[in-house]
Amino acid sequence: MFSRRETDGIAAHRTVHPMARRRRSGRLIPLGGVGEIGKNSLLLEYAGRRLLIDAGVMFPEEELHGVDLVIPDFTHLYQHPERLDAILLTHAHEDHVGALPYLLKGLGRRVRIYGLRLTIGLIEPKLREHGVLRFAELISVSGSDRLNLGPFHVSFVPVSHSVPDSAAIVVGTPVGTLFFTGDFKFDQTAPDQTRTDLNRLRAIGDEGILLLLSDCVRVERPGITPPERVVAEALDGIVRQASGRVIMTTFASNVIRLQQAIEIACRYGRKVAVVGRSMEENLRVAADLHYLHLPPGTLATIEELKRLPPKEVMILTTGSQGEPTSVLSRIAMGDHPMLRVIPGDTVVISATPIPGNEETVTRTIDNLMRRGANVLYPPIVPDIHVSGHASRDELAALLRLLRPRYAMPVHGEFRMMVHYRNLAGESGVPAERIVFADVGDVIDFGDERVVRNGRVAAGSVLVDGLTVGGVNQIVLRDRRHLAADGVVICAVAVDRETGRLVSGPETTARGFIAPSASSVLEESAARVRRALERRPEGEVEIGYLKGKIKDVLAHAIYTRTRLRPMILPVVTEI
Ligand SMILES: [Zn+2]
Ligand SMILES: [Zn+2]
């Protein structure tokens, strides 16, 4: 499947970047994921050829009202779509693959996409759903394959993480080897195929690594991250003692944990229903590819479960982040068509909120408790969730196994990168050989050196519903005003000929809450009337009138209330 040498030979006389030939160095450009959490994407260039590692999304912060997703700005790639040889995926989490559909649409050409088997299996339905499958040549690889992609020699190294088939990626180039950890932890008690192989890492280190790019998101945590096994033990205890139904939520991609939950249900004579689109789909893919083993007769529909006593029921659902449309949120709101909380229910939230989701998660917990559920979540039951990322001691151990000449912290915010630099200093890589990069920075590597050298176009693109990059600052500002200060509508009627005010202004407000709001509005309307009456008679220019009304009203409201509601002037000509 991977005899690509021939085709690569033919492609070798493709345009070679003259600078690259002269310098004999490669370039590494983070398009996202450094100094921030999310939208992980790293571009590798050598002799005018390119490889992209991951293309992830970031979930928008509160300030970006109504924006669905934030993706990397791929302008630099779009300028020469033909140079991109392949996309390599470390694993199927959204912060690593979520931007793929948008990237493929933007490239407008077919690209080879490599990943371990389940990674490819999980992204395929997503690409199909976005209608971009025709742009993707999906290629499943195993941990023992070696790929020759132009000047790059690539291998995938399976690592432990919270979705099976996560990988680190080793890329050999003519000027040095780079090691990308992806998201990982060591978890030496994990089953074979999901366990980080420390001996293999040491062997890779023996061959010499120029630059290690390391996940650093948990560098603030001392010690090592607990293994996934502790979750199974905690869950076993909960299910054993629960006298009613058990409703559990976790990340829909955490197939390992879902497998454990199903086994535990089976152990205590419970049948399991899976509710929630993403979870159902992931489990279907995982079962098809034999990553999930369902004891016969364990799965059932909600309807079938209704006929069983509560003690024989487990329900697995989406909603671990309190997403408003998820099954768990709807159960919490009493708004799900098939599921309601019944007394004696135990709800297990096997996740911690991703930063930014704390409020929606705690609201969901409150609402579930209001309806009488016993809700268990971390830290109330600390072991009911463990992270998929390496803590401090594991990060240090990785540095000692690989012994890279240079190291670059990725997948973390600035303070984490600083902590990583300190840690690396204690683990054999001195501070001057730790590379700090911003999104869009160009990092030159080669000749035993790694240096920052210039920048390319990069940053964030906001995805709003079906449009990409269509949300500009004005829309965001409007949404901010609407959310914070509400809206004031001001209607006037003017004479078509003279422009004289015939009726109004009439003001209506929504979401505008201020002490004595109605008197503020009345007084502001009076000001608008005076301003319009002062206006000399003449032809009506609607745009001008609207602008005038907006200015006067905004000023009047702001001076009294310090609020800036959105103002919608409505001018009717009579
Ligand atoms: Zn991940
Ligand atoms: Zn990640």
Side-chain angles (χ1 to χ4, degrees):
M1 184 198 263
F2 303 111
S3 58
R4 298 209 173 269
R5 270 216 176 105
E6 299 89 328
T7 49
D8 286 333
I10 295 161
H13 56 260
R14 261 192 230 169
T15 18
V16 170
H17 197 275
M19 288 299 282
R21 186 180 280 153
R22 224 180 13 245
R23 280 200 312 245
R24 253 189 72 75
S25 67
R27 309 207 304 169
L28 172 80
I29 306 168
L31 297 178
V34 286
E36 62 188 13
I37 309 250
K39 68 183 174 68
N40 297 290
S41 193
L42 283 156
L43 178 65
L44 206 52
E45 300 184 345
Y46 186 83
R49 307 286 291 272
R50 290 175 171 166
L51 277 188
L52 187 71
I53 297 184
D54 289 342
V57 298
M58 177 154 64
F59 295 99
E61 293 170 23
E62 279 291 304
E63 297 90 81
L64 299 176
H65 289 282
V67 167
D68 293 335
L69 289 175
V70 181
I71 62 172
D73 180 345
F74 292 116
T75 303
H76 181 67
L77 277 172
Y78 296 155
Q79 283 162 354
H80 291 283
E82 76 289 352
R83 286 190 189 160
L84 184 62
D85 284 304
I87 301 172
L88 315 177
L89 301 177
T90 57
H91 64 295
H93 278 159
E94 285 295 300
D95 60 323
H96 298 259
V97 302
L100 266 182
Y102 308 97
L103 171 62
L104 291 174
K105 240 175 259 173
L107 288 168
R109 59 166 278 248
R110 204 168 157 82
V111 190
R112 284 180 272 167
I113 301 178
Y114 295 89
L116 295 184
R117 217 152 56 95
L118 186 64
T119 305
I120 295 297
L122 290 174
I123 64 161
E124 187 175 349
K126 289 183 184 153
L127 297 183
R128 183 177 298 119
E129 195 177 305
H130 277 85
V132 294
L133 203 50
R134 69 204 147 98
F135 292 134
E137 184 183 340
L138 296 176
I139 303 163
S140 298
V141 298
S142 79
S144 53
D145 286 320
R146 283 172 175 273
L147 320 177
N148 294 307
L149 305 169
F152 307 106
H153 305 282
V154 174
S155 48
F156 285 70
V157 182
V159 291
S160 303
H161 185 45
S162 39
V163 56
D165 270 0
S166 294
I169 296 177
V170 192
V171 182
T173 76
V175 292
T177 298
L178 285 74
F179 189 102
F180 302 82
T181 63
D183 293 2
F184 81 103
K185 62 176 181 178
F186 280 174
D187 200 343
Q188 293 303 290
T189 63
D192 268 359
Q193 68 279 16
T194 58
R195 184 170 59 224
T196 307
D197 180 349
L198 303 186
N199 290 328
R200 181 164 177 197
L201 293 181
R202 188 176 293 109
I204 293 168
D206 287 343
E207 288 170 27
I209 287 171
L210 176 59
L211 175 62
L212 161 68
L213 291 103
S214 177
D215 171 4
C216 71
V217 73
R218 261 177 91 82
V219 66
E220 292 161 312
R221 304 300 183 100
I224 65 167
T225 304
E228 185 65 28
R229 191 171 44 83
V230 305
V231 176
E233 285 161 11
L235 189 62
D236 184 286
I238 291 168
V239 175
R240 190 175 53 226
Q241 285 164 21
S243 54
R245 301 187 303 180
V246 174
I247 301 173
M248 172 173 154
T249 181
T250 187
F251 297 99
S253 59
N254 200 329
V255 176
I256 306 163
R257 195 169 296 171
L258 292 169
Q259 166 84 53
Q260 288 180 337
I262 292 168
E263 281 171 16
I264 290 166
C266 211
R267 193 173 304 151
Y268 296 104
R270 291 174 186 257
K271 284 191 185 294
V272 182
V274 181
V275 199
R277 193 162 151 268
S278 55
M279 196 175 271
E280 290 169 47
E281 179 155 296
N282 287 350
L283 288 186
R284 183 186 57 73
V285 172
D288 284 352
L289 296 175
H290 308 292
Y291 284 77
L292 190 71
H293 307 283
L294 302 169
T298 316
L299 286 195
T301 63
I302 290 287
E303 287 306 321
E304 288 163 347
L305 293 191
K306 279 188 176 152
R307 292 193 286 271
L308 295 175
K311 209 177 156 42
E312 293 174 21
V313 172
M314 179 188 276
I315 296 162
L316 301 176
T317 78
T318 54
S320 69
Q321 296 300 307
E323 306 92 319
T325 55
S326 67
V327 174
L328 192 66
S329 296
R330 295 182 66 190
I331 296 173
M333 299 292 293
D335 182 37
H336 195 278
M338 324 253 286
L339 284 169
R340 281 182 194 287
V341 172
I342 52 176
D345 277 353
T346 300
V347 178
V348 179
I349 299 181
S350 177
T352 46
I354 293 169
N357 291 344
E358 293 87 350
E359 207 186 309
T360 52
V361 173
T362 48
R363 206 179 303 136
T364 302
I365 295 171
D366 280 346
N367 288 335
L368 287 166
M369 285 185 166
R370 270 197 194 103
R371 288 174 191 280
N374 175 28
V375 190
L376 303 175
Y377 54 96
I380 299 299
V381 181
D383 288 344
I384 201 57
H385 172 69
V386 297
S387 167
H389 293 271
S391 300
R392 215 174 150 76
D393 288 359
E394 288 154 282
L395 294 171
L398 183 73
L399 281 157
R400 285 193 296 269
L401 284 169
L402 293 175
R403 292 147 283 146
R405 185 159 174 80
Y406 288 82
M408 178 171 149
V410 297
H411 206 292
E413 290 172 346
F414 194 77
R415 66 180 184 287
M416 299 162 183
M417 291 158 63
V418 171
H419 288 303
Y420 186 85
R421 181 170 58 196
N422 300 339
L423 179 71
E426 299 160 16
S427 313
V429 186
E432 64 272 17
R433 285 198 254 125
I434 302 299
V435 185
F436 268 40
D438 260 336
V439 173
D441 278 349
V442 176
I443 316 290
D444 277 358
F445 62 90
D447 295 331
E448 293 295 294
R449 274 160 45 81
V450 177
V451 286
R452 243 187 359 210
N453 181 16
R455 289 183 54 77
V456 300
S460 295
V461 171
L462 313 180
V463 182
D464 181 36
L466 296 172
T467 65
V468 176
V471 184
N472 56 28
Q473 290 306 314
I474 297 173
V475 176
L476 286 180
R477 187 204 58 201
D478 286 352
R479 287 179 181 165
R480 198 151 50 229
H481 287 184
L482 276 171
D485 300 341
V487 57
V488 173
I489 299 160
C490 178
V492 298
V494 295
D495 186 300
R496 188 186 301 274
E497 310 290 353
T498 63
R500 201 182 310 134
L501 192 63
V502 180
S503 79
E506 256 174 63
T507 53
T508 325
R510 287 285 179 275
F512 171 70
I513 299 159
S516 55
S518 60
S519 86
V520 170
L521 287 180
E522 250 167 59
E523 192 188 299
S524 308
R527 286 214 200 171
V528 172
R529 185 179 308 117
R530 284 200 295 278
L532 295 184
E533 282 166 351
R534 267 204 303 276
R535 188 183 158 272
E537 287 193 5
E539 211 157 282
V540 184
E541 221 286 272
I542 299 274
Y544 169 83
L545 273 185
K546 284 186 173 174
K548 189 80 194 165
I549 292 169
K550 243 177 163 166
D551 287 351
V552 174
L553 205 56
H555 182 87
I557 291 173
Y558 185 72
T559 32
R560 286 271 316 256
T561 64
R562 301 285 139 182
L563 293 174
R564 293 188 188 282
M566 182 192 229
I567 291 172
L568 294 178
V570 179
V571 179
T572 316
E573 293 172 277
I574 297 173

